[in-house]
Amino acid sequence: MGRGARAVLPALYRLRHAVECGINLLEGNRGMATRYDELTVRYEAVVIIAAINQWLNAS
């Protein structure tokens, strides 16, 4: 293997890719991407609402 090359487990890579794609979909929601709340609960609520919105639009 060359310099910086790593052995990657295909199953692990697939899971990581799925998580990254999901996060990218959520970041497309401008309200979530530009939000800076002091309370974690508020930010978590925005993330959940964005995920529900994404899920409803996919149906």
Side-chain angles (χ1 to χ4, degrees):
M1 289 187 182
R3 183 176 177 222
R6 296 181 184 165
V8 178
L9 299 173
L12 185 61
Y13 180 79
R14 238 180 266 117
L15 289 173
R16 180 180 173 197
H17 180 70
V19 169
E20 287 180 1
C21 287
I23 290 172
N24 285 336
L25 285 174
L26 289 176
E27 285 180 350
N29 184 339
R30 191 176 302 261
M32 191 196 90
T34 60
R35 204 163 167 100
Y36 301 99
D37 280 319
E38 290 182 13
L39 296 177
T40 305
V41 174
R42 288 185 196 154
Y43 186 77
E44 185 179 0
V46 171
V47 171
I48 291 171
I49 291 171
I52 291 171
N53 190 23
Q54 186 70 34
W55 179 66
L56 290 174
N57 287 333
S59 300

